[in-house]
Amino acid sequence: MTDFIDAEMADFLDKTRFLAIDLEIRYDEPTDELYAFLYERYDCCSRYPPSKHCPDWFTIISFTPYEDCNLCIENHCKWLNSMPQDAKSQWRKAKQRCMNIGYDTSSKHHAFIQYIRPDLISQLAKLEMGLAFTLYPIEIQLAESKNLAMLNKA
């Protein structure tokens, strides 16, 4: 190993693993009641107006990390089902509602399976919410971190 990572870290980086889930909502106009509901639970909830990069209003929450993808989805579906009527009305008007599941992925890991329980898929459907997957290649992140560490040493 190099002085950049040790053997234990190298083994950790060789495995594909669940990172976190983000809630992403896109809509045509500001949704103050919905945003207030989301922000009350997660003060790290961010709302962005339309821009040249995204023509929609966009709200995103990175949920508190969980060890288990299914538990994260289950807990947040329960919470989202408790939203007040005015927020729920704005929720229904959104163009897109999505739970985006993020993974660190490794080309050294032959296969990775993430089982998502059917009852949770049904709960997402009742909330009219899609499911997305974002893959972050560990090798690219490692190379970027290594380059940054070398720059900081210089």
Side-chain angles (χ1 to χ4, degrees):
M1 287 294 111
T2 68
D3 59 352
F4 179 68
I5 57 172
D6 60 18
E8 185 177 331
M9 179 59 83
D11 184 54
F12 178 73
L13 294 172
D14 283 346
K15 294 181 174 52
T16 296
R17 64 188 177 283
F18 164 68
L19 286 175
I21 298 178
D22 293 343
L23 174 63
E24 301 171 356
I25 308 166
R26 294 180 188 272
Y27 37 93
D28 289 324
E29 57 191 37
T31 55
D32 295 334
E33 289 81 8
L34 176 58
Y35 182 74
F37 170 76
L38 300 171
Y39 189 83
E40 182 181 323
R41 173 80 179 252
Y42 284 98
D43 61 3
C44 62
C45 178
S46 299
R47 177 169 58 173
Y48 303 98
S51 69
K52 66 179 182 176
H53 304 291
C54 178
D56 303 318
W57 280 86
F58 185 68
T59 297
I60 187 167
I61 301 173
S62 292
F63 289 138
T64 305
Y66 281 75
E67 291 294 318
D68 179 83
C69 176
N70 285 292
L71 183 60
C72 184
I73 294 171
E74 180 176 25
N75 286 340
H76 288 93
C77 281
K78 285 178 188 173
W79 164 63
L80 289 167
N81 277 315
S82 75
M83 83 178 76
Q85 196 56 43
D86 55 350
K88 198 173 286 191
S89 174
Q90 291 182 340
W91 172 269
R92 287 190 191 111
K93 291 178 184 175
K95 294 167 112 175
Q96 176 183 319
R97 295 163 299 279
C98 177
M99 280 205 188
N100 187 339
I101 305 173
Y103 298 92
D104 269 339
T105 59
S106 174
S107 62
K108 296 177 184 176
H109 195 179
H110 178 70
F112 176 80
I113 297 172
Q114 176 74 66
Y115 176 77
I116 299 174
R117 296 187 341 238
D119 63 303
L120 298 179
I121 295 170
S122 177
Q123 287 182 40
L124 291 171
K126 287 177 186 169
L127 285 163
E128 298 178 33
M129 194 171 351
L131 198 54
F133 301 92
T134 302
L135 310 176
Y136 300 96
I138 294 171
E139 288 85 357
I140 292 173
Q141 293 177 58
L142 185 57
E144 289 171 354
S145 297
K146 187 175 183 178
N147 290 338
L148 183 62
M150 286 185 197
L151 286 173
N152 289 337
K153 275 187 175 181

